[in-house]
Amino acid sequence: MLGMRETALFREDMESLRILPPRDFVGAVEAIGEIVEVVGKLLACGAAYRVEDAAHPDIYFDHHAAAHFGSESGYDSATMARLSAERGGDPDRPGKRHPLDVLMWRTAREGEPSWDSELGPGRPGWHVECCAIGLNRLGTGFDVQGGGSDLIFPHHEFSAAHAEALTGEYPMAQHYVHAGMIGFNGEKMSKSKGNLVFVSRLRADRVDPMALRLALLSGHYRADRSWTTGMLDDAVARLARWRHAVELPAGAPAQDVVSLLRAHLSDDLDTPGALAAVDAWATETLTQPGRDVDAPALLSTAVDALLGIAL
């Protein structure tokens, strides 16, 4: 859960990158009461059950309770079973009705965090946290749910299944948008490795946020990629070229470039293609005498409006 200081810094980072920050910052710890209520309702209607374990009668979700289970990921059973085991599931837990059923409430264990509730002391499972927080602020059928590609299954699949079993409504979100994973110099970013790259630190080093945004847009959002200092250097140079080009009194015609920008972004947010279109215009403007006096302003406005880059 983010504290007040961390939340404020996160909001500042997002705004510096010209990303609209969320209205609500809600941590799972703040929503324990909401989560307990959801688990209790699913338990009461039979969509959840306790395993027969005298020491730890944990509560699991019966995935058969959601008629559309599997529709979010589109994965087959074998893929689901593999990913469940790899991503925090416990398919071999004795007492479960099915290996794919997921934990909703883990009864208290010594040395683990827990909260008192009508379900007994314990803590919630991962997927039901997002289900409760999302439903209580957005309801069902909201437009977009997003996250990294590793959330396709089991996280988004089961949060959607919880919501369907709870409300009887489908889908939880109209669209799912999953971004590729960004590593660092060829390795996965992780706290344990200490190789996380923070926007706040880059800003403190006086890196232009527009260069950061350009660096992130240089790869397709669905593609796995690695953050490197070279990527940032390329973005800084690209930003400088674009700014130089739009500062000239005239440039190459820009109407077709604006149309290309729109076409690329309409094609599954093809940002690499969009950036290449602006690159071509900037190169022509900087290397050949320009005659269109309206082009620099038009291109600057389009890049601002369509890519969120202030030139």
Side-chain angles (χ1 to χ4, degrees):
M1 181 180 69
L2 295 176
M4 291 182 64
R5 182 179 179 279
E6 291 82 1
T7 298
L9 185 59
F10 183 55
R11 184 183 292 275
E12 289 175 7
D13 286 342
M14 295 188 74
E15 290 175 344
S16 75
L17 294 175
R18 308 186 85 187
I19 299 171
L20 295 175
R23 181 191 64 192
D24 300 310
F25 287 85
V26 184
V29 173
E30 300 170 88
I32 291 294
E34 302 173 40
I35 298 165
V36 166
E37 182 180 2
V38 168
V39 175
K41 288 180 178 179
L42 290 173
L43 193 61
C45 74
Y49 61 93
R50 288 188 184 271
V51 295
E52 294 184 4
D53 184 326
H56 302 295
D58 302 327
I59 300 175
Y60 283 81
F61 176 74
D62 185 338
H63 74 281
H64 293 105
H68 296 89
F69 179 79
S71 62
E72 185 274 322
S73 66
Y75 293 155
D76 58 28
S77 297
T79 301
M80 289 183 183
R82 175 176 60 81
L83 292 178
S84 177
E86 292 174 359
R87 297 175 177 175
D90 54 357
D92 299 324
R93 168 71 191 272
K96 289 173 60 173
R97 294 176 182 172
H98 191 281
L100 285 180
D101 292 352
V102 292
L103 182 71
M104 300 195 81
W105 188 258
R106 178 177 170 86
T107 56
R109 267 79 158 172
E110 185 177 352
E112 294 184 1
S114 66
W115 288 264
D116 291 329
S117 76
E118 53 264 40
L119 301 172
R123 59 186 172 91
W126 177 27
H127 320 304
V128 71
E129 295 171 356
C130 289
C131 170
I133 291 170
L135 288 181
N136 287 337
R137 285 152 188 84
L138 300 173
T140 56
F142 54 84
D143 292 335
V144 178
Q145 184 168 18
S149 56
D150 58 336
L151 299 185
I152 297 173
F153 189 91
H155 187 54
H156 284 163
E157 187 71 72
F158 273 102
S159 60
H162 294 339
E164 181 182 359
L166 180 68
T167 67
E169 298 180 19
Y170 172 84
M172 180 177 179
Q174 297 293 328
H175 304 282
Y176 287 85
V177 180
H178 296 107
M181 308 303 292
I182 299 182
F184 181 69
N185 288 332
E187 292 187 322
K188 180 181 178 181
M189 287 192 193
S190 69
K191 290 182 179 179
S192 60
K193 292 182 178 181
N195 63 351
L196 300 178
V197 178
F198 293 97
V199 173
S200 56
R201 292 180 186 171
L202 293 171
R203 288 173 54 217
D205 291 337
R206 299 185 180 277
V207 175
D208 190 325
M210 293 300 94
L212 292 178
R213 185 175 174 97
L214 265 178
L216 293 171
L217 294 178
S218 65
H220 194 275
Y221 79 91
R222 284 194 290 106
D224 291 342
R225 54 202 189 277
S226 185
W227 178 269
T228 65
T229 54
M231 179 191 297
L232 181 56
D233 291 341
D234 290 344
V236 169
R238 171 179 261 155
L239 183 63
R241 287 198 312 273
W242 289 10
R243 284 177 170 166
H244 185 191
V246 299
E247 288 170 355
L248 295 177
Q255 289 285 358
D256 289 346
V257 182
V258 174
S259 296
L260 269 177
L261 273 174
R262 292 194 178 107
H264 282 298
L265 295 177
S266 297
D267 182 15
D268 194 23
L269 289 178
D270 176 17
T271 54
L275 301 193
V278 181
D279 282 339
W281 178 87
T283 297
E284 183 177 355
T285 294
L286 292 171
T287 57
Q288 301 179 25
R291 296 183 178 179
D292 189 338
V293 296
D294 296 324
L298 175 61
L299 209 289
S300 180
T301 299
V303 167
D304 187 351
L306 299 175
L307 294 174
I309 304 294
L311 298 179

